[in-house]
Amino acid sequence: MKLIIFAALVAFAAARPQEEIEYVAIIREDSVPIEGANFRHEFEADNGLSQSMVGSADENGAQVMTGSYSFPLPDGSIATFNWVADALGFRVESPLLPVAPVAEHPVPAHAQEQIDFANAQQAAGLAWDQAVHAWI
């Protein structure tokens, strides 16, 4: 009985649809090895995918990275995204990304109260000390 069940499972697994594997070739790759905060890496694949990134240090020695990536869309156009990662965080730009008008999303009242409170504290000469989590 166990042999019949095992044979049925093997037959079931063998009968599943076989997916054709699509191989992608890297047609161009260029990089500069990491030296401190500095590096560069770029590649392009034969399916239209490409990526580029550069790393460096800002005036304070903090890591800064910039780059872009592109890929073909089903309609044949190319989607490109440019990005920056630095002390201000990660930011990406592309005409394909939605941007909501500010007027449609006003600051909620509870959030505005917190912003006004922080501004009043700063105007009074106080500063937020992250180490002790208090206004000093």
Side-chain angles (χ1 to χ4, degrees):
M1 181 68 166
K2 291 181 185 177
L3 182 61
I4 293 172
I5 293 173
F6 179 73
L9 288 174
V10 169
F12 180 73
R16 71 178 166 82
Q18 301 297 316
E19 296 179 19
E20 187 174 324
I21 298 174
E22 181 180 338
Y23 293 96
V24 176
I26 302 299
I27 58 176
R28 183 182 62 81
E29 183 173 22
D30 186 27
S31 76
V32 173
I34 297 173
E35 185 177 318
N38 301 316
F39 72 93
R40 182 175 55 82
H41 184 259
E42 299 176 346
F43 78 87
E44 184 177 353
D46 66 354
N47 65 353
L49 178 72
S50 66
Q51 178 181 347
S52 170
M53 66 175 66
V54 176
S56 61
D58 67 10
E59 61 276 355
N60 297 321
Q63 180 73 48
V64 176
M65 293 176 55
T66 60
S68 67
Y69 56 94
S70 300
F71 55 89
L73 296 172
D75 67 2
S77 63
I78 302 294
T80 299
F81 297 85
N82 298 309
W83 56 269
V84 175
D86 58 13
L88 299 175
F90 179 80
R91 299 173 309 281
V92 65
E93 294 179 354
S94 173
L96 298 172
L97 295 175
V99 178
V102 177
E104 289 184 26
H105 301 285
V107 176
H110 69 280
Q112 188 60 52
E113 289 173 13
Q114 292 294 312
I115 293 168
D116 293 342
F117 176 78
N119 289 338
Q121 296 295 315
Q122 290 175 343
L126 299 173
W128 180 257
D129 186 338
Q130 185 65 32
V132 294
H133 301 284
W135 289 97
I136 56 172

